[in-house]
């Protein structure tokens, strides 16, 4: 296993995911400096996610037959430029445009990185390679986003984007030096992948992902204002709590990875139910600092335990076109981020509702996703190969 190349790929995921989430912790700072409301500042999250959703499939299709290393370098170049433009943006409009530019690389970048990691090692080691690279995503949640929030609070939000541009330039150099050239997917896989994603099981799983993650991001997009305005935490404490959330996410990813291999059928429903319960509880616990901190950790665990369970099952729908499958999942996930941040902003802008209304509304949306799991996601025609305990084979084997 070429560990240095995998470290380079993990670093790429780290900076890309950090760039998406860092704005969440900087909403109060951005709102004040750019003289816009918090819901308007939240559109920076919505716009990024929508651009990733719409642009992801298009960019993936355009780069499907390109050399993977060349595609990674090209996407990193655009991503770096976008963050540098964001750092020097003179107003909200240019900042939004820069966010959209970087977002266009997101889904395809994520997909190529994961598939490249799998292609660099023998089949029996692919799961470990993908898990190793995925630590970049987890570290972005544990360290990247909180560190970006700290930098932004201490030195201004522009400093956070200058840091992102600098780190992404280093990631560019690491990919150029360490990642080997990997042949692209075969051209017929585009048709195969699109056909596979029309299978009922795949459609339902993507729908579950969309609804559940929408409910979660109704709350997570505005977690900094909630912790500051409701629980009474200061700016420095909010940064610490984002680290706490990231720690929960790291634990959840480990748990979710194991559940995805063993019992995805039951795990999916239990975790969605737990997420709805956690969000409902947060409506109460967010009023006290100690209980809010505990709940934030728990939400990190459950929310990120869901990710590998959902992703592995969605990817299994198109084992012959893994790049398209990962891109489709990532696009739907980002659509959920956009929908959740937009819905949360509408709630805050309604006048009659405030920050305390976000958690119960998010919980209700997640419950709707739980209802969708009743649509025989794992049974009937289109079921993937059976594995242990009658559950689906882990999608990492398809990679």
């Amino acid at each position: 296993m070429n560990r240095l190349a995998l470290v380079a790929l993990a670093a790429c995921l780290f900076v890309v995911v950090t760039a998406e989430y860092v704005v969440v912790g900087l909403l109060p700072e951005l709102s004040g400096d750019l003289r816009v409301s918090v819901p308007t500042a939240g559109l920076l999250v919505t716009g990024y996610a929508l651009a990733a959703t719409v642009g992801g499939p298009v960019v993936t299709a355009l780069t499907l037959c390109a050399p993977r290393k060349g595609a990674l370098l090209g996407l990193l170049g655009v991503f770096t430029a976008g963050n540098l433009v964001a750092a020097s943006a003179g107003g909200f409009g240019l900042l939004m445009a820069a966010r959209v530019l970087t977002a266009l690389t997101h889904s395809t970048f994520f997909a190529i990185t994961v598939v490249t990691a799998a292609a660099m090692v023998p089949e029996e080691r692919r799961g470990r390679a993908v898990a190793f690279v995925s630590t970049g995503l987890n570290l972005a949640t544990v360290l990247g986003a909180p560190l970006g929030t700290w930098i932004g609070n201490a030195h201004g939000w522009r400093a956070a984007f200058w840091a992102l541009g600098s780190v992404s330039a280093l990631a560019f150099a690491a990919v150029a030096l360490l990642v080997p050239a990997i042949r692209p997917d075969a051209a017929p896989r585009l048709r195969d992948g699109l056909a596979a994603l029309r299978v009922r099981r795949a459609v339902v799983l993507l729908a579950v992902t969309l609804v559940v993650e929408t409910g979660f991001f109704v709350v997570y997009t505005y977690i900094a204002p909630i912790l500051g305005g409701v629980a009474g935490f200061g700016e420095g404490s909010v940064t610490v709590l984002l680290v706490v959330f990231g720690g929960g996410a790291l634990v959840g990813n480990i748990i979710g990875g194991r559940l995805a291999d063993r019992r995805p059928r039951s795990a999916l429903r239990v975790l969605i139910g737990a997420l709805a319960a956690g969000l409902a509880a947060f409506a109460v616990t967010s009023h006290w600092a100690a209980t809010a901190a505990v709940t934030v950790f728990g939400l990190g665990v459950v929310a990120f335990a869901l990710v590998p369970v959902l992703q592995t099952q969605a990817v299994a729908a198109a084992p012959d076109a893994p790049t398209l499958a990962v891109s489709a999942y990532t696009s739907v996930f980002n659509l959920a981020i956009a929908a959740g941040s937009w819905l949360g902003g509408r709630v805050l802008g309604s006048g009659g509702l405030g920050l305390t209304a976000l958690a119960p509304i998010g919980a209700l949306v997640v419950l709707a996703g739980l209802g969708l799991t009743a649509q025989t996601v794992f049974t009937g025609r289109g079921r993937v190969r059976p594995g242990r305990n009658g559950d689906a084979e882990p999608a990492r084997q398809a990679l």
Side-chain angles (χ1 to χ4, degrees):
M1 186 181 294
N2 189 341
R3 289 197 173 272
L4 287 178
L6 293 178
V7 168
L9 294 175
C12 292
L13 285 187
F14 172 82
V15 68
V16 170
V17 176
T18 297
E20 179 171 25
Y21 288 160
V22 71
V23 170
V24 170
L26 296 176
L27 287 185
E29 171 91 12
L30 286 162
S31 173
D33 188 60
L34 297 176
R35 299 181 181 179
V36 297
S37 66
V38 169
T40 299
L43 291 176
L44 293 168
V45 179
T46 308
Y48 185 104
L50 280 177
T53 300
V54 176
V58 176
V59 176
T60 300
L62 292 174
T63 59
L64 191 61
C65 295
R68 286 177 182 159
K69 181 174 180 177
L72 280 175
L73 291 173
L75 293 170
L76 267 174
V78 174
F79 178 84
T80 302
N83 280 295
L84 295 179
V85 171
S88 57
F92 182 81
L94 184 56
L95 178 58
M96 175 65 81
R99 291 282 290 171
V100 169
L101 178 64
T102 56
L104 290 175
T105 70
H106 186 101
S107 296
T108 306
F109 189 88
F110 194 97
I112 296 177
T113 300
V114 170
V115 174
T116 299
M120 288 194 308
V121 299
E123 184 174 357
E124 66 272 12
R125 296 185 179 182
R126 288 179 178 175
R128 280 173 286 178
V130 173
F132 186 92
V133 170
S134 295
T135 59
L137 185 155
N138 299 322
L139 288 175
T141 308
V142 177
L143 297 175
L147 181 59
T149 299
W150 177 81
I151 291 173
N153 288 331
H155 304 287
W157 61 267
R158 297 180 190 278
F161 285 103
W162 284 119
L164 283 169
S166 300
V167 175
S168 58
L170 292 175
F172 182 98
V175 170
L177 292 173
L178 300 173
V179 175
I182 303 291
R183 68 174 181 84
D185 295 336
R189 289 185 179 178
L190 177 59
R191 294 192 299 272
D192 294 343
L194 293 175
L197 291 175
R198 289 197 296 268
V199 173
R200 182 174 180 272
R201 177 178 57 83
V203 172
V204 173
L205 280 165
L206 291 175
V208 169
T209 300
L210 175 61
V211 176
V212 170
E213 298 300 342
T214 293
F216 173 67
F217 278 96
V218 165
V219 179
Y220 183 70
T221 302
Y222 299 97
I223 193 72
I226 292 172
L227 292 173
V230 179
F233 287 102
E235 286 184 352
S237 297
V238 169
T239 301
V240 172
L241 283 172
L242 290 176
V243 175
V244 170
F245 177 87
L250 187 60
V251 173
N253 186 70
I254 296 171
I255 295 172
R258 293 178 179 177
L259 291 175
D261 282 351
R262 296 174 182 176
R263 304 192 66 86
R265 181 189 308 172
S266 55
L268 181 66
R269 293 173 180 136
V270 169
L271 289 172
I272 292 175
L275 182 60
L279 290 173
F282 193 49
V284 178
T285 62
S286 61
H287 291 273
W288 298 277
T291 54
V294 172
T295 310
V296 164
F297 178 83
L299 287 174
V301 172
V302 178
F304 277 79
L306 260 174
V307 171
V309 175
L310 286 166
Q311 186 179 34
T312 53
Q313 291 301 311
V315 172
D320 294 326
T323 305
L324 283 170
V326 178
S327 180
Y329 170 84
T330 307
S331 290
V332 169
F333 193 96
N334 277 281
L335 179 59
I337 295 175
S341 60
W342 175 84
L343 179 57
R346 294 287 292 179
V347 171
L348 293 180
S350 65
L353 301 174
L355 290 168
T356 56
L358 295 176
I361 290 173
L364 289 174
V365 177
V366 171
L367 280 177
L370 181 61
L372 282 176
T373 64
Q375 302 301 310
T376 59
V377 175
F378 295 96
T379 60
R381 286 180 288 184
R383 182 178 179 177
V384 295
R385 296 185 301 274
R388 293 188 298 269
N389 303 317
D391 284 320
E393 280 284 2
R396 67 186 186 198
Q397 295 181 6
L399 289 174

